[in-house]
Amino acid sequence: MRPRTTGEETSETFDTCVQGVRNILQTAKDLEVQRVVFASSGAIYGMSKKRERSLVKEDDPVGIYPVNLHRTGRIVGEFLGKFYAHNHGVKFI
């Protein structure tokens, strides 16, 4: 299955990814939750360059390319987690 192209998605996809993660992180901050576990998506990694057509491991390089809105939104979510960890002490795993 290949990722959908930008033309096949709406901005709602991006908004859901980004605003959803931000809402969770802001609520965690407000309620003084110590950590948030973020289950990432295969969309963020794409195809492994080291092992074509195989599983991607966490230490594989992440190709941060805006192939579609879902992938872009998930990448932004990862950066939001790092922002909240650094600036608000919400551990982001």
Side-chain angles (χ1 to χ4, degrees), residues 48-85:
S48 171
K49 292 181 181 174
K50 289 183 182 179
R51 292 173 294 280
E52 190 171 330
R53 298 188 183 272
S54 66
L55 296 176
V56 179
K57 296 186 178 184
E58 286 190 29
D59 63 346
D60 283 346
V62 176
I64 301 181
Y65 305 104
V67 190
N68 58 42
L69 289 175
H70 178 253
R71 184 176 193 180
T72 303
R74 296 297 292 192
I75 291 168
V76 172
E78 296 262 357
F79 282 104
L80 279 170
K82 291 176 183 181
F83 172 83
Y84 271 80

Side-chain angles (χ1 to χ4, degrees), residues 12 34 38 41 53 66 79 92:
E12 184 178 2
Q34 293 181 4
F38 185 71
S41 163
R53 298 188 183 272
F79 282 104
F92 188 75

Side-chain angles (χ1 to χ4, degrees), residues 9-21 66 68-77 80:
E9 295 179 325
T10 66
S11 61
E12 184 178 2
T13 301
F14 180 82
D15 295 345
T16 299
C17 290
V18 175
Q19 194 59 43
V21 172
N68 58 42
L69 289 175
H70 178 253
R71 184 176 193 180
T72 303
R74 296 297 292 192
I75 291 168
V76 172
L80 279 170

Side-chain angles (χ1 to χ4, degrees), residues 30-48:
D30 293 346
L31 297 177
E32 298 179 7
V33 172
Q34 293 181 4
R35 79 176 148 241
V36 171
V37 177
F38 185 71
S40 193
S41 163
I44 212 168
Y45 298 102
M47 178 63 74
S48 171

